[in-house]
């Protein structure tokens, strides 16, 4: 049973800009040891009130399109009740309701079972918090 559940924390520096950070390679690195060729589930969780996990295509503009869509849906202005931090920071606290702080993905033969163009991404619109933790947990 001790090999059935393994967890690790990934530290990600997002800087002072809104970012979509591809963490797929980090997930695969974790699974090489944790899954050891087995089938199971990978849970990715961000223990932050202003970040989320998305499974999207990256590198072809979709990551920038996601940030643009978030600007449309959640403008960084003074409409938000939550008002500490940078102007419009209240919208960062609404983000996890749209892009959840977690994802659970299938693992087959020790590798993520993703579609051809899918990547696992940390979505961070909070310019006030440059360092994020992502908890990776494998259940096999």
């Amino acid at each position: 049973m001790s090999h059935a559940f393994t967890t690790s924390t990934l530290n990600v520096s997002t800087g002072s800009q809104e970012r979509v950070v591809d963490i797929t390679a980090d997930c695969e690195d974790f699974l090489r040891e944790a899954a050891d060729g087995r089938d199971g589930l990978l849970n990715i969780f961000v223990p932050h009130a202003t970040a989320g996990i998305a499974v999207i295509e990256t590198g072809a503009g979709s990551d920038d399109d996601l940030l643009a869509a978030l600007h449309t849906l959640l403008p960084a202005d003074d409409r938000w009740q939550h008002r500490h931090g940078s102007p419009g920071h209240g919208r960062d606290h609404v983000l996890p309701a749209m892009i959840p702080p977690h994802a659970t993905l299938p693992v087959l033969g020790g590798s993520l079972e993703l579609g051809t163009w899918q990547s696992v991404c940390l979505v961070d619109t909070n310019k006030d918090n440059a360092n994020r933790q992502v908890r990776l947990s494998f259940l096999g």
Side-chain angles (χ1 to χ4, degrees):
M1 186 72 164
S2 64
H3 212 64
F5 182 79
T6 306
T7 189
S8 181
T9 300
L10 175 65
N11 293 304
V12 180
S13 178
T14 56
S16 60
Q17 295 183 341
E18 297 177 355
R19 293 203 42 213
V20 175
V21 181
D22 187 339
I23 59 169
T24 309
D26 297 300
C27 292
E28 289 283 6
D29 289 346
F30 168 72
L31 288 171
R32 261 189 281 294
E33 276 190 47
D36 194 27
R38 295 177 296 147
D39 295 349
L41 295 171
L42 175 66
N43 181 264
I44 304 115
F45 176 69
V46 182
H48 298 283
T50 58
I53 297 294
V55 178
I56 63 167
E57 177 182 6
T58 58
S62 295
D63 34 357
D64 291 331
D65 289 342
L66 175 58
L67 290 176
L70 290 172
H71 278 274
T72 300
L73 294 169
L74 303 171
D77 58 23
D78 64 355
R79 73 182 70 200
W80 308 101
Q81 298 294 317
H82 190 108
R83 295 186 187 270
H84 79 273
S86 298
H89 174 67
R91 65 116 182 197
D92 299 329
H93 287 273
V94 176
L95 173 83
M98 303 182 121
I99 300 175
H102 59 85
T104 301
L105 304 172
V107 176
L108 297 177
S111 295
L112 276 175
E113 185 68 11
L114 292 172
T116 302
W117 305 111
Q118 289 180 317
S119 297
V120 180
C121 297
L122 168 66
V123 180
D124 186 5
T125 59
N126 183 355
K127 300 175 191 177
D128 297 335
N129 190 346
N131 298 301
R132 298 302 188 156
Q133 292 183 333
V134 179
R135 178 160 302 282
L136 304 175
S137 301
F138 174 73
L139 177 63

